[in-house]
Amino acid sequence: MNHNNTLSLSIMSGKGGVGKTNIVLNLGYALHAMHITSMLMDCDLGLANLDVLLGISPDRNLHDLLQTGVETEDVLVSIEDGFDMLPATSGVPELVEMDEDLQDILFKKLIDIAGKYDFLMLDLGAGISHTVLSLASLTQLRVVVVTPEPTSLTDSYAMIKVLTTQHDIKDFLVLINQATSAKEAKQTFERLNAACLNFLNIELRYLGFVHQDRTLVESVRRQTPLLKFAPQATASKDIVGIAKKLVRYREDNRERIGGRPILKDFPSE
């Protein structure tokens, strides 16, 4: 029985600076262009990023959402019709390592609204903090953003290892960002996949890659998402292709998605 049509994704990375938040934001724009609804949640809970990339200053944010009497609709920011964002906040240490009470409030408020969208995308902070790992455990799928840099590979492996061994999560999609060629991207994926096969006995899935593109740097400076700033840029076309793969996955797995909750409960300590 298909009760759920929403595909929930955690977009994550082992280290910062790999372009993860730009990927999430532009995936949302690509989905919007295909008339697919999505909600982005900035889950870098102590260091907000999505609003900065958009050049906006939301009136309310995640910190407000966790207060009694504030509903998710009160905090949501409409980016485009059917494309919304739940902004985070900066400089609030208690959000970085949420206690169980805050986790419970957040879970209930997300569940109340998530089913209105085709996609729910959580833009997680980098690394392996307890909150990051807990949020990654909530969603149906996890997308790991990796660059060809050795430090990105080693940190991504460490993150996958912790989620596999401590949270029993074994399904990961890998997106290679800032690649100079398809060959470099595939080689980067194969190195990470080989380590996971050899030491964790899990096989990763290759979602695709995004070219290194100077246009993206300019779009960040102008606080304008790449798909709006330069829709014909190489990286823009790559992101559109990845969005299409995610839409196909959702279509091909409707029965499986329908039998699972949009979000699982936060894992216990």
Side-chain angles (χ1 to χ4, degrees):
M1 293 199 317
N2 193 341
H3 296 297
N4 167 36
N5 289 307
T6 305
L7 178 59
S8 59
L9 302 169
S10 291
I11 319 287
M12 54 199 309
S13 63
K15 69 183 289 289
V18 301
K20 170 180 51 62
T21 298
N22 266 304
I23 293 288
V24 176
L25 179 58
N26 285 288
L27 276 175
Y29 269 97
L31 292 171
H32 171 70
M34 290 184 273
H35 307 288
I36 304 291
T37 61
S38 65
M39 175 180 143
L40 312 185
M41 179 178 170
D42 191 342
C43 293
D44 200 344
L45 300 180
L47 297 167
N49 286 310
L50 275 170
D51 55 339
V52 177
L53 290 179
L54 286 164
I56 61 174
S57 298
D59 294 329
R60 289 183 169 181
N61 54 48
L62 187 69
H63 191 236
D64 299 296
L65 179 63
L66 296 172
Q67 309 305 309
T68 305
V70 178
E71 301 301 328
T72 312
E73 290 89 341
D74 302 327
V75 181
L76 275 178
V77 174
S78 177
I79 301 173
E80 303 282 354
D81 185 32
F83 175 26
D84 299 329
M85 176 186 74
L86 190 60
T89 186
S90 294
V92 183
E94 61 264 30
L95 290 184
V96 178
E97 293 295 343
M98 288 191 293
D99 61 30
E100 287 189 15
D101 289 340
L102 286 180
Q103 289 179 1
D104 189 53
I105 293 168
L106 178 60
F107 179 79
K108 287 176 178 173
K109 291 191 175 182
L110 281 179
I111 283 294
D112 285 344
I113 198 166
K116 297 180 181 179
Y117 299 90
D118 299 316
F119 282 84
L120 171 65
M121 294 188 283
L122 308 188
D123 176 21
L124 304 191
I128 55 173
S129 72
H130 171 68
T131 298
V132 167
L133 297 175
S134 294
L135 288 165
S137 303
L138 293 182
T139 56
Q140 297 169 351
L141 282 180
R142 279 138 292 277
V143 176
V144 182
V145 179
V146 185
T147 69
E149 294 177 7
T151 51
S152 177
L153 278 166
T154 55
D155 289 354
S156 295
Y157 172 77
M159 182 182 65
I160 291 168
K161 179 181 178 180
V162 173
L163 281 166
T164 299
T165 57
Q166 296 185 17
H167 296 270
D168 197 32
I169 291 171
K170 303 182 187 299
D171 54 332
F172 299 91
L173 303 176
V174 175
L175 189 163
I176 308 300
N177 194 28
Q178 301 172 11
T180 57
S181 66
K183 180 180 179 182
E184 182 184 54
K186 203 64 191 291
Q187 288 175 339
T188 301
F189 169 77
E190 293 298 349
R191 284 198 292 272
L192 181 59
N193 190 44
C196 291
L197 275 170
N198 290 337
F199 300 111
L200 304 176
N201 197 31
I202 63 167
E203 187 165 5
L204 308 176
R205 285 181 285 174
Y206 185 53
L207 182 59
F209 79 100
V210 177
H211 279 91
Q212 193 174 65
D213 193 332
R214 296 172 114 183
T215 315
L216 177 61
V217 178
E218 184 60 27
S219 76
V220 172
R221 284 184 185 146
R222 298 194 185 198
Q223 293 181 295
T224 304
L226 182 65
L227 265 73
K228 287 189 74 175
F229 177 68
Q232 297 305 312
T234 303
S236 293
K237 293 176 181 178
D238 294 336
I239 292 168
V240 169
I242 288 165
K244 288 178 178 177
K245 285 185 181 180
L246 290 172
V247 171
R248 280 199 300 272
Y249 179 91
R250 178 174 171 270
E251 291 298 319
D252 293 344
N253 291 274
R254 276 188 176 273
E255 203 169 303
R256 183 178 175 216
I257 293 167
R260 299 172 67 184
I262 300 170
L263 295 170
K264 305 171 200 169
D265 289 315
F266 273 90
S268 55
E269 295 281 359

